[in-house]
Amino acid sequence: MAEPVEMQVVVKAPVLAPRVPAGPEGVPVELATAAAGGAPKPAGQQQQQQGGQAGAGGQQQQQQEGAEGEAAAPPVDNRTWWQKNWLFVMAGGTFALIAGTDLVLHTAGPFQHSKNFNVIEAALETKTPYIDVCDDTHYSQGIKGYHDQAVAAGIPALTTAGIYPGTSNVMAAHIVSISRGEYDENWNYKQPAAGEGIEPTMLRYSYYTAGSGGAGPTILETSFLLAGEQCTVYKEGQAYQLPPISNRREVDFGPGIGRKGVYLYNLPEVMSAFKYIKVPGVSARFGTDPFIWNWAMWLVARLCPPQFLQDRSQVRWLARLSDPWVRIVDKIIGEAVGMRVEVDFEGGKNASGIYVHKKLPEAMGNSVAAFAHAVLSGQSQPGVWYPEEKEALADRRAFLQYAAKGCTRFDLNRPAWALESDVKQLGGLIYW
């Protein structure tokens, strides 16, 4: 896979900065730290204000020449590869902050009940490609409403492009496209012939995270906000509304995680899979450890008034109240993440995919970096796309290879029994 493209970076301290393994060293790029709503200062100006240090490039070398006229050695750049190469726009997103950059990465969650579209609007105005890690159905639909403007501006924009939703959407779309015969022999998209392939009937997303996954209060706020939303699920082409954190299902995430209880949540990949992959049945479930957290969320959804759970300020208070206890537990149970995507097809056939990583922040970072690489390398068409749409990714296999870096297990398009934790083979027979 080609190496990521070097680009300018503007960084404001993020709520959650996904940790990405160190990548290739490149030419240092401009780095400025700006408050939300303020314009970043050129790197040279910042360094001059901090003791008269030099700016970038040749100017830096000239100003660091010694008294005898010999140039000093180039300074050691201790910034991470992520800091050098990716753009965070946190909270507000102004034109001055975005102008001149190569990519806008919007991670300022939680997105539930937000009507702030300043970031996508600024990206469109400055003709800057856009990615968000939104995990809310209504907000993602609002972003999708800018599709025509993105086409007119000639820029690609991806919404719900995190890990779940995000990588999970691509896993599902890849399984379905294989079954439908939507790839040629070189894995390029094609229109299947009449009668070719088989159609999906049901798609089940199942997610697991140990504790908060190291994400802190943000994921807690999101969980509490989702506890106040009715869940939309689809069956045989019809939409149904079910209570949040209900309809428990036990799912095997394979060795390392094992069987876990997961519960219905109102997640955007349910709507997008129904609408854009055209699967007539879709649901999404999530579970965590220790199991008592699932019970606590069930109680929150049943005992707290809906008005309370739809008030972002109240939910923020509740998340901060819970955060110290969650962090204590996180140190014991770790930050593992597991995703299982199961697709049922006509004729009783099925295919599944599984993704397991020991650290959610690293897995999230790899997923977002994979989307960013696709956008910057020209694999995404102008417009606003969900990850599963063909226009979002020209090469799904390359994306999945990138997003699965560091996984302890990644399997795709396998029979459901092949992903079980306790599969045993005795005398040519398989037991589980």
Side-chain angles (χ1 to χ4, degrees):
M1 182 175 295
E3 296 295 342
V5 181
E6 287 292 337
M7 58 180 158
Q8 287 185 316
V9 181
V10 178
V11 177
K12 181 181 183 294
V15 175
L16 168 62
R19 294 174 290 179
V20 178
E25 291 297 324
V27 178
V29 295
E30 178 178 321
L31 178 66
T33 303
K41 297 177 181 179
Q45 292 182 17
Q46 279 200 329
Q47 291 172 342
Q48 288 170 7
Q49 292 179 3
Q50 299 174 1
Q53 296 180 1
Q59 180 183 0
Q60 186 178 44
Q61 184 173 354
Q62 291 172 6
Q63 294 186 11
Q64 291 183 350
E65 289 182 353
E68 298 180 0
E70 295 183 0
V76 176
D77 190 345
N78 293 319
R79 286 174 288 148
T80 65
W81 177 76
W82 179 271
Q83 289 174 316
K84 293 177 183 177
N85 289 275
W86 308 114
L87 166 68
F88 285 96
V89 175
M90 308 302 301
T94 65
F95 298 101
L97 188 62
I98 292 174
T101 59
D102 299 284
L103 176 68
V104 177
L105 175 55
H106 184 10
T107 67
F111 294 90
Q112 282 71 26
H113 306 297
S114 174
K115 296 181 180 179
N116 184 341
F117 297 101
N118 291 345
V119 178
I120 182 68
E121 290 172 357
L124 291 169
E125 182 67 23
T126 57
K127 295 188 176 181
T128 307
Y130 168 95
I131 293 175
D132 69 45
V133 295
C134 166
D135 53 2
D136 180 68
T137 302
H138 302 295
Y139 192 87
S140 69
Q141 289 175 318
I143 294 293
K144 187 67 170 176
Y146 289 90
H147 175 77
D148 291 342
Q149 292 172 250
V151 172
I155 65 165
L158 306 183
T159 187
T160 69
I163 182 169
Y164 60 83
T167 296
S168 59
N169 304 42
V170 181
M171 292 170 64
H174 192 52
I175 292 172
V176 171
S177 286
I178 291 173
S179 73
R180 285 175 170 161
E182 294 178 340
Y183 296 122
D184 63 18
E185 62 277 9
N186 296 316
W187 296 96
N188 298 312
Y189 297 123
K190 73 176 182 69
Q191 183 65 34
E196 182 180 2
I198 56 176
E199 287 295 311
T201 58
M202 187 69 196
L203 165 60
R204 298 180 184 88
Y205 290 108
S206 299
Y207 308 130
Y208 165 83
T209 298
S212 71
T218 302
I219 196 169
L220 292 175
E221 286 187 48
T222 297
S223 299
F224 287 136
L225 288 165
L226 288 173
E229 294 185 11
Q230 291 290 298
C231 298
T232 299
V233 300
Y234 294 92
K235 183 178 181 180
E236 298 178 348
Q238 297 295 317
Y240 296 89
Q241 298 292 311
L242 297 177
I245 318 175
S246 64
N247 290 65
R248 182 184 184 276
R249 183 170 180 258
E250 190 170 277
V251 174
D252 193 336
F253 291 94
I257 293 181
R259 297 180 182 275
K260 300 293 179 182
V262 291
Y263 305 78
L264 287 177
Y265 278 83
N266 192 39
L267 298 175
E269 54 266 48
V270 174
M271 175 278 300
S272 60
F274 176 78
K275 188 171 183 179
Y276 298 106
I277 312 182
K278 300 189 183 306
V279 182
V282 194
S283 65
R285 289 175 170 85
F286 171 80
T288 187
D289 267 336
F291 65 88
I292 194 171
W293 286 162
N294 297 311
W295 293 0
M297 290 302 303
W298 184 90
L299 286 172
V300 167
R302 301 303 182 277
L303 299 180
C304 291
Q307 297 86 347
F308 178 89
L309 294 174
Q310 293 169 8
D311 186 328
R312 289 167 62 97
S313 61
Q314 297 284 0
V315 166
R316 187 176 300 112
W317 170 82
L318 183 59
R320 290 176 178 172
L321 185 68
S322 308
D323 184 54
W325 304 101
V326 173
R327 289 185 183 275
I328 291 172
V329 174
D330 282 356
K331 293 179 181 179
I332 300 173
I333 63 175
E335 303 174 347
V337 59
M339 303 189 294
R340 181 157 176 162
V341 177
E342 301 170 274
V343 187
D344 295 337
F345 296 98
E346 296 170 339
K349 297 182 179 180
N350 66 73
S352 300
I354 197 167
Y355 177 115
V356 178
H357 198 291
K358 290 183 178 180
K359 292 186 177 295
L360 172 61
E362 290 183 8
M364 178 68 169
N366 290 337
S367 293
V368 176
F371 281 115
H373 178 267
V375 169
L376 292 170
S377 59
Q379 295 185 39
S380 303
Q381 298 182 23
V384 178
W385 312 107
Y386 285 95
E388 59 266 49
E389 295 186 83
K390 295 176 183 177
E391 296 84 354
L393 297 169
D395 190 342
R396 287 174 179 157
R397 295 171 77 230
F399 167 86
L400 290 168
Q401 181 182 6
Y402 201 134
K405 285 184 177 181
C407 282
T408 57
R409 186 177 187 187
F410 180 78
D411 286 315
L412 200 60
N413 203 40
R414 301 282 303 280
W417 61 262
L419 303 182
E420 299 296 312
S421 296
D422 303 318
V423 176
K424 297 180 181 179
Q425 185 167 350
L426 299 173
L429 300 177
I430 294 177
Y431 300 87
W432 65 92

